[in-house]
Amino acid sequence: MVIHSMHRKRHREPFPAPPTPAIYRNIAYTFIGLTVMIAFAALWFSSVRATVTVTAAREPMTIAAAIDVARTPGQGQLGGRVVQGVFEKVQEFPVAARGGRSVETQARGRVRIINNYSRPQPLVRTTRLLTADGRLYHIDETVTVPSQEAVEVEAYADAPGASFEFSGKTRFTIPGLAESLQEWIFAESVTAFTGGLKTVTVLEEADLVKAQTALEQEILEQAKKVLMAEVGDARFTESAYLVRVLDMKSDIRPGEEADRFLMSLKVDVTGVFYAKADMEALVQERVGERVPEGRLIVGFDPAKTSFSIQRVDAQQETAALDISAEVQTKLTENSTALNKELVVGLPIDEAERRLEDIEGVESAAVTVRPRWVRRLPTLKDHITIRVQ
């Protein structure tokens, strides 16, 4: 009898087969392929370059600055002279016609009194003259008309109104004389009689303002010559003036009827005189200091720079001038508006549109190398911006 062991031998699986050489080869090829692709991508990213050419618009800009003028200039000051004078003038001005209102007045004209009688005829002021249609007039002064002669005199209508106006030659009788003399002594019109209806003008505040402006300008022109002569230095050919009105009077008040009025004006004029070349050089320096960062001055005409006196001391001969300069500027490559972040990685056409939307940019053109690439690099360092 065969006795079997109580312990059965466990079943042992065989070891897995080792990988074949083809698997290792495929892994190696895949790794090499990935490495080549990564290297190619890195080479592509590092080789792509973009040049952005921006055509910048020339834009006007007003730049304000200040310049100190002194007879003995210090650091940063301009050498010059400060002189002062008081000037006064009286002048007549017309009241502007604005339609006004129509009023009836006494028509006036000139007549010739003819004496065909044998003796002189005296006529007192207000002697009556009568037309054939019954209109009555009066002479304006006392006269004596010699025999066989004629005398001209002003005459006026007996009452206001346009009905007393006429333009043709008219004969007058003199009803105050004896009826027998009226045939020998009579009058004829020399001029038309007008003014029976006229438009009355009223002085307004605007008339005073206009007159004051004109009178100030005339006084200033006179003051320029006087003050320049006082300076007596041929170097100081340019000047700025401060005009202060000390007194203004008119013989007619606003609201009163008048055709003309008198105005007197008294002003204090202070002139600041300096050399043209020195001022232009200092203005360019001041303007250059105040041009915003990222912009470049491309046009500047010193003749278009205006000056005004901010403060002045005639005794110390010092002054501070405010200047306002008109310049033409444009964007530069350093402008914050031309930020490369706006266009990195964008398609060419979209990048150009974004750039052209920037204020101050007329047009933009993007060139990418290699040419077959249609996007800008994603690296800012690979983008060059040029402004023209």
Side-chain angles (χ1 to χ4, degrees):
M1 183 170 132
V2 180
I3 300 173
H4 296 279
S5 170
M6 298 298 293
H7 301 281
R8 178 180 292 179
K9 293 182 180 180
R10 294 181 179 180
H11 176 74
R12 295 182 178 180
E13 296 294 333
F15 290 103
T20 63
I23 294 176
Y24 290 111
R25 189 166 52 253
N26 290 338
I27 293 172
Y29 288 158
T30 300
F31 179 77
I32 292 172
L34 290 173
T35 302
V36 170
M37 290 177 63
I38 292 171
F40 179 79
L43 181 62
W44 182 83
F45 279 117
S46 63
S47 63
V48 174
R49 296 284 189 277
T51 300
V52 177
T53 303
V54 172
T55 301
R58 296 166 64 99
E59 298 179 302
M61 179 178 292
T62 301
I63 297 179
I67 292 178
D68 290 329
V69 179
R71 185 169 187 176
T72 306
Q75 182 67 31
Q77 292 183 321
L78 181 69
R81 292 290 310 276
V82 178
V83 291
Q84 183 181 32
V86 176
F87 303 85
E88 187 172 8
K89 188 173 184 179
V90 179
Q91 187 170 321
E92 187 180 50
F93 294 91
V95 176
R98 302 180 182 87
R101 60 187 179 86
S102 296
V103 295
E104 288 188 335
T105 59
Q106 290 170 299
R108 297 184 67 88
R110 193 166 183 84
V111 298
R112 178 184 295 109
I113 300 175
I114 301 170
N115 183 4
N116 292 328
Y117 194 57
S118 59
R119 63 184 181 187
Q121 179 61 56
L123 297 172
V124 299
R125 182 179 181 276
T126 72
T127 293
R128 293 174 298 162
L129 305 176
L130 186 65
T131 62
D133 58 5
R135 289 179 290 178
L136 190 62
Y137 300 82
H138 302 270
I139 65 173
D140 205 20
E141 60 181 292
T142 298
V143 296
T144 296
V145 186
S147 175
Q148 306 302 317
E149 292 188 21
V151 173
E152 289 189 8
V153 65
E154 293 288 327
Y156 60 91
D158 182 64
S163 61
F164 287 88
E165 295 181 346
F166 62 84
S167 57
K169 192 168 185 178
T170 300
R171 180 186 173 103
F172 304 86
T173 60
I174 305 176
L177 296 177
E179 191 171 336
S180 60
L181 292 177
Q182 292 180 18
E183 182 181 351
W184 303 97
I185 304 172
F186 57 90
E188 293 178 346
S189 62
V190 176
T191 65
F193 272 63
T194 60
L197 184 67
K198 68 177 183 179
T199 300
V200 175
T201 54
V202 176
L203 182 68
E204 296 186 5
E205 193 67 34
D207 296 306
L208 296 177
V209 173
K210 183 178 179 181
Q212 180 176 334
T213 300
L215 200 51
E216 275 188 31
Q217 187 59 41
E218 290 188 20
I219 292 175
L220 178 58
E221 293 304 315
Q222 174 193 355
K224 287 180 179 180
K225 298 176 183 177
V226 174
L227 298 180
M228 177 66 81
E230 185 176 340
V231 169
D233 193 325
R235 296 175 300 164
F236 302 138
T237 58
E238 303 298 309
S239 54
Y241 297 90
L242 178 65
V243 179
R244 293 188 301 112
V245 176
L246 301 178
D247 187 39
M248 187 275 285
K249 293 179 182 177
S250 170
D251 65 336
I252 304 294
R253 291 179 296 179
E256 295 182 343
E257 295 180 3
D259 294 324
R260 307 184 69 81
F261 65 99
L262 286 174
M263 173 177 283
S264 66
L265 194 63
K266 184 179 182 180
V267 298
D268 179 290
V269 181
T270 303
V272 180
F273 299 84
Y274 48 85
K276 181 178 181 179
D278 294 344
M279 176 61 85
E280 288 182 357
L282 195 53
V283 167
Q284 290 190 27
E285 180 182 327
R286 293 285 196 274
V287 169
E289 294 170 352
R290 285 161 177 76
V291 174
E293 186 177 356
R295 299 196 72 87
L296 174 69
I297 294 179
V298 292
F300 171 55
D301 183 1
K304 294 182 179 179
T305 302
S306 61
F307 302 87
S308 61
I309 300 176
Q310 181 187 43
R311 66 177 185 275
V312 66
D313 186 334
Q315 291 185 341
Q316 299 296 323
E317 289 208 39
T318 61
L321 300 182
D322 286 332
I323 64 173
S324 179
E326 300 293 331
V327 299
Q328 296 283 328
T329 68
K330 71 174 186 178
L331 296 173
T332 68
E333 290 85 353
N334 298 325
S335 173
T336 55
L338 300 177
N339 191 340
K340 295 178 182 179
E341 293 285 357
L342 293 173
V343 295
V344 289
L346 292 180
I348 292 176
D349 56 350
E350 184 177 348
E352 290 175 344
R353 282 197 301 272
R354 285 200 180 185
L355 290 168
E356 290 173 352
D357 287 340
I358 297 174
E359 185 177 357
V361 174
E362 285 187 350
S363 63
V366 176
T367 303
V368 178
R369 296 184 182 278
R371 291 186 178 275
W372 52 268
V373 178
R374 303 307 299 166
R375 283 181 173 270
L376 277 76
T378 56
L379 300 175
K380 291 190 299 181
D381 293 344
H382 288 191
I383 300 175
T384 302
I385 295 181
R386 296 174 180 168
V387 178
Q388 63 181 19

